[in-house]
Every structure is written in C-alpha cells, then in structure tokens.
Amino acid sequence: APALFLPHAHIMSAFTMTSAKAFAAPAVGRSTKSRGSLNVRAAVAHGKGGEEGGASFNNDAFGMVAKNANYMLFATAVTKSGNQAIMTSPGPITVFAPNDDAFSVFLKKIGKTKMEIMDHPNLPAMIKNHIVQGAHRLENMPDGTTLTTIGGTTITIKGGAVNGAKFKKNDIKVDNAIIHAVDAIIEA
C-alpha cells in the first residue's frame, strides 16, 4: 500500500526524535559533541519570576507589596477592598504595610479566616487605616507624631511603632510612596 503523506507528520516525528535524543543519556564509551547553549528570553518582563501570562507590576506602592511574597494578604486585601487605585495613584502617599504574619495574628484574634476577611464589609476601612497622604519618612516622624489616614482615623507614632504596630523596615521608596513595613494590623 502506498504511504500516506501528511505534510506536518515528518516535522513532528523529526522534532520528537531530536527532542528524545537531546534529553537521552549518552551511551557509555561514546563521545558527545557540544551543541552550544540554548538561550531563551522572554520578550516582556513579568513581575513575578517571568511566568507566562504572569502579572506585571509597576514600581508603585501596590506593585511593591503585590510582588513581595511576604505581603500577599495585604496586596489581596487592597484589591478586594477597592483600594488598589489609591495605591497606584500618583501620590505621594505613605503606606504602613503589614506582612502576612501580621494578618495571621489579626485573623486569629478576631476569629476569622483569610477568605472571610477578604469579604468583610469593614475591609476597605481597615486598609485605609494603613495609608496616609504625603511622603512621611521615619526621620520626619518623631515620637508623638499624629497622622490622619485616608480613612479619617488618627494614628500615632510612638516607641518605634505606629498605633502599636512595630516598624520592621522603613523608608522603602517607590515611585508614588514611602512604605514602612509593620508587624501588625493597625487598629485605629
């Protein structure tokens, strides 16, 4: 019987054979030739490790917390509460960003799960307690400094903390903000 010619069949089988040979272990006693290195480059840089289709983040307050694995709950809460536009605004703003451990302690304290807090009606106000208009560096916030958050509550700097949330890292500068990492949720 005559062989049926499929225009792409020879390409696929050639690719399969080449791929299998490229990954097969060399036979004992046989010399292997170097084929050179294979360089694969992404055409577009992605924000989180270059996953295909991964999110790309700007160098703004939201981008900084969203691409940091220790602040994923805060970034998710910002998005779920409708406050992402504030965090990506031209600013300047100051953000007191609680890490994921801070969220876990807070959730245990209030008896809620991560899923429950993301749908809680007070989430937008809670997130707004962490954002202040203007660029406030730690050196310009001596003990006793009071600031009004965008949610309208007053927070106080005292003893290396803001409303009891201790500073972990300070003065992280991004395009639109100064970020201070804190170890607790700011309850105002």
Side-chain angles (χ1 to χ4, degrees):
L4 179 63
F5 179 74
L6 297 173
H8 300 293
H10 67 285
I11 294 171
M12 188 60 194
S13 54
F15 175 74
T16 305
M17 291 184 334
T18 303
S19 297
K21 286 180 185 178
F23 294 104
V28 177
R30 224 184 234 186
S31 69
T32 57
K33 291 183 183 178
S34 174
R35 295 180 186 215
S37 63
L38 174 65
N39 292 321
V40 178
R41 294 185 188 152
V44 177
H46 296 291
K48 298 189 77 178
E51 301 99 354
E52 188 172 323
S56 179
F57 299 106
N58 294 324
N59 187 39
D60 55 28
F62 181 75
M64 180 59 75
V65 295
K67 62 187 168 190
N68 188 318
N70 295 320
Y71 294 87
M72 297 308 276
L73 290 174
F74 183 62
T76 301
V78 166
T79 301
K80 292 290 264 179
S81 66
N83 287 305
Q84 188 172 344
I86 295 165
M87 297 276 285
T88 58
S89 71
I93 58 174
T94 299
V95 179
F96 299 96
N99 61 22
D100 287 354
D101 291 341
F103 261 90
S104 296
V105 169
F106 178 73
L107 292 173
K108 188 173 183 178
K109 177 181 169 183
I110 65 169
K112 300 281 183 195
T113 66
K114 292 173 188 174
M115 296 299 287
E116 289 171 334
I117 195 70
M118 295 303 165
D119 291 325
H120 197 278
N122 292 340
L123 184 64
M126 183 182 83
I127 295 304
K128 288 178 180 176
N129 287 340
H130 294 83
I131 306 169
V132 175
Q133 286 291 336
H136 300 279
R137 300 181 66 78
L138 185 60
E139 64 191 25
N140 299 325
M141 295 186 297
D143 271 9
T145 299
T146 59
L147 302 168
T148 302
T149 68
I150 62 169
T153 58
T154 300
I155 56 176
T156 304
I157 309 300
K158 184 176 181 186
V162 55
N163 278 29
K166 292 181 183 157
F167 292 117
K168 304 288 278 177
K169 289 184 181 179
N170 296 98
D171 301 334
I172 303 164
K173 178 72 177 115
V174 293
D175 291 346
N176 68 338
I178 301 288
I179 301 174
H180 302 282
V182 294
D183 72 348
I185 299 297
I186 297 173
E187 299 180 64

